[in-house]
Amino acid sequence: MTRARLRAGLIGLGAMGRNHARVLAALDGVELVGIVDPAGDPTGALRVPVVADLEGLLAIGVDYAVVACPTALHEQVGLALAASGVPALIEKPLAQSVAAASRLVEAFEAAGLVAGVGHIERYNPALQSLRLRLEAGELGEVFQVVTRRQGPFPHRIADVGVVMDLATHDIDLTSWVVGREYRTVSARTVSRSGRLHEDMVAVVGQLAGGAMVNHLVNWLSPLKERSTVVTGERGCFVADTLTADLTWYANGAIDTEWEALRAFRGVAEGDMVRYAIPKREPLLVEHERFRDAVDGTESDIVTLRQGLRTVRVAAALLQSAAEGSTVEIDTDLAPVPAATVALS
């Protein structure tokens, strides 16, 4: 017997919303039945109804919704969906404040609904491979995680700064890849675009267990860069999440007798391996996992509590930058869960 397709709705038709619409329209087992955007569909290319408000989408009838509206509206829209009994995949960050994110967690948990956060980097093939290799102990003890995320200014973002919009990617992926929570952060921010929010942030922090983290994030650079470097006792992994490439640099086991070359290259350089990794679109994989969760299948979605943890760390970065201090992260947060969560 053929199973009925899930009816999905989308809230928001910005740059990210249009990507969600593209994936939802072709997703196996799902029918995109309606979209919410007050501006409508200027292109006229969409083949589903575009309504002005959430009430219009709920009137159409949906099994779940994807929230891709501005971050400032996440709480309002999410609470309305929870009150209506609709599971939701909410774009990152979960909300623009810890208080708002907490209310969303409480609302969906009280309603017993499946809900997730769109931290798409978890589905990047390079980072998924990296996490598995770290879990297998290929690096040994992790000493440091360094991320660099920079590129041109995204004119679509007006309600939050670079910390909430971009650094939340690196906060979530770092904690997820190494399976450790943040313990302390120290951050410095600057604003050079004349906007209300910060354009650049530099972060030094420490994870549980002692590993150091460094994040450099900005949206004022003509260079687009997305890299994650994890260094440990046996070498380092370099993940380029733009190309989904993962490269391994091993500590050297053979000494170099050529003195001039040793002085230039160092005595610890070993083998370098670039792994061949199957490369599926991360957004498609994210949607497949959330579809499965809504359908009652075990799946590795990013839970709202994990999204809340990331917002807490981002808020600590902003606090640190404002105060010029090192901020301790609440150690009472739930531990980083395994990649797979059981959903009934």
Side-chain angles (χ1 to χ4, degrees):
M1 183 176 67
T2 302
R3 184 175 55 189
R5 291 196 294 173
L6 293 170
R7 294 169 59 84
L10 172 65
I11 297 107
L13 262 182
M16 196 63 202
R18 289 192 173 274
N19 278 318
H20 282 294
R22 170 181 58 81
V23 173
L24 283 167
L27 187 61
D28 288 343
V30 171
E31 179 184 3
L32 178 60
V33 297
I35 299 172
V36 177
D37 197 294
D41 175 24
T43 67
L46 296 170
R47 298 182 179 180
V48 297
V50 179
V51 297
D53 52 35
L54 182 57
E55 289 73 18
L57 180 65
L58 295 176
I60 293 172
V62 293
D63 295 310
Y64 73 94
V66 177
V67 180
C69 55
T71 302
L73 299 176
H74 284 189
E75 180 186 12
Q76 175 187 341
V77 172
L79 292 178
L81 290 170
S84 299
V86 178
L89 173 61
I90 302 172
E91 258 301 340
K92 66 87 206 155
L94 175 55
Q96 64 181 355
S97 70
V98 173
S102 298
R103 287 189 287 269
L104 285 169
V105 171
E106 292 166 1
F108 279 95
E109 288 186 350
L113 296 169
V114 173
V117 187
H119 281 292
I120 194 172
E121 292 286 34
R122 292 207 192 184
Y123 306 101
N124 187 289
L127 294 178
Q128 290 196 325
S129 178
L130 171 57
R131 185 172 192 254
L132 291 174
R133 292 177 184 282
L134 293 180
E135 287 180 335
E138 293 184 19
L139 182 62
E141 182 184 354
V142 174
F143 298 154
Q144 183 186 53
V145 182
V146 177
T147 70
R148 295 171 64 91
R149 183 177 301 271
Q150 53 187 346
F153 177 69
H155 294 284
R156 62 187 173 83
I157 302 297
D159 55 344
V160 294
V162 73
V163 170
M164 282 293 181
D165 183 63
L166 290 184
T168 45
H169 278 302
D170 297 297
I171 294 167
D172 181 75
L173 76 85
T174 296
S175 188
W176 175 74
V177 161
V178 301
R180 299 292 178 89
E181 296 176 18
Y182 284 75
R183 285 292 176 254
T184 65
V185 291
S186 178
R188 297 296 180 269
T189 61
V190 296
S191 179
R192 293 289 183 265
S193 68
R195 299 169 68 253
L196 293 176
H197 304 288
E198 75 286 348
D199 307 310
M200 297 181 169
V201 62
V203 181
V204 176
Q206 190 171 47
L207 303 177
M212 176 189 297
V213 297
N214 300 89
H215 304 308
L216 179 63
V217 188
N218 78 72
W219 55 29
L220 296 181
S221 171
L223 167 67
K224 190 167 185 179
E225 182 181 26
R226 304 284 187 270
S227 76
T228 299
V229 181
V230 183
T231 303
E233 60 180 322
R234 296 175 185 164
C236 75
F237 285 104
V238 179
D240 184 331
T241 52
L242 282 177
T243 61
D245 287 323
L246 179 64
T247 305
W248 163 246
Y249 296 85
N251 290 339
I254 301 175
D255 194 14
T256 302
E257 297 182 7
W258 183 2
E259 288 297 328
L261 186 61
R262 177 164 58 183
F264 177 71
R265 301 184 71 173
V267 297
E269 188 176 73
D271 293 335
M272 180 188 77
V273 179
R274 176 169 291 173
Y275 298 104
I277 302 171
K279 297 180 180 180
R280 302 185 67 222
E281 182 184 1
L283 187 61
L284 173 60
V285 177
E286 178 181 82
H287 273 280
E288 289 175 344
R289 303 296 167 80
F290 192 75
R291 171 205 63 196
D292 293 346
V294 173
D295 207 27
T297 303
E298 188 175 282
S299 186
D300 62 343
I301 65 172
V302 183
T303 68
L304 294 198
R305 285 202 170 270
Q306 293 173 56
L308 170 60
R309 184 192 66 233
T310 296
V311 172
R312 284 185 183 274
V313 176
L317 298 188
L318 294 173
Q319 178 187 344
S320 171
E323 298 175 351
S325 64
T326 297
V327 176
E328 292 189 4
I329 309 300
D330 185 358
T331 57
D332 292 332
L333 293 176
V336 179
T340 300
V341 295
L343 298 164
S344 58

